[in-house]
Amino acid sequence: MGLWGPAWECIVTDVGAEVRSILVFHLGADEARLRDDVRLAEDLGADSLDMVEIVMSCEERFDIDIPNRVATSLATVGDAVRFVEAELAGAAGGQPDRRPVRSVGTA
């Protein structure tokens, strides 16, 4: 381990790109299709199990908690990105968060 922690950690600089990479990983979605207005269930085919996995990956990657009531209300890619950004801004006192986070698909 180096100064910054385990090798699987990275610094979040673009929350939208990180959330989209989680969606690509879990749904096999084409990243070019992942505009903010794309609906997770209707357009990308996410079912309830997919949503649980996506939420868990976001919680792990960004070190946040996503309550069930919020998770069930995330309808679009933009909803997910905005929620994560808001949580990170709140945890950092309104400033963009730069905490180390885990990469998708690694332990």
Side-chain angles (χ1 to χ4, degrees):
M1 251 185 348
L3 176 66
W4 302 106
W8 50 259
E9 291 183 345
C10 64
I11 303 299
V12 174
T13 56
D14 185 344
V15 172
E18 294 293 320
V19 170
R20 285 172 174 82
S21 74
I22 289 169
L23 296 173
V24 167
F25 178 78
H26 287 290
L27 301 176
D30 178 8
E31 193 164 359
R33 283 190 59 204
L34 298 179
R35 297 177 321 276
D36 282 353
D37 63 337
V38 171
R39 297 168 299 178
L40 299 171
E42 294 86 349
D43 298 329
L44 298 177
D47 61 22
S48 58
L49 180 58
D50 292 324
M51 289 306 296
V52 168
E53 292 173 342
I54 290 164
V55 166
M56 289 174 56
S57 289
C58 286
E59 288 177 329
E60 193 173 308
R61 166 121 12 131
F62 298 107
D63 193 25
I64 61 173
D65 289 318
I66 303 175
N68 286 339
R69 65 178 169 70
V70 173
T72 58
S73 72
L74 299 175
T76 67
V77 173
D79 291 343
V81 171
R82 284 186 295 275
F83 178 80
V84 171
E85 287 175 337
E87 286 296 298
L88 294 176
Q95 299 298 315
D97 191 57
R98 300 289 185 254
R99 290 180 286 177
V101 294
R102 295 181 185 196
S103 295
V104 170
T106 60

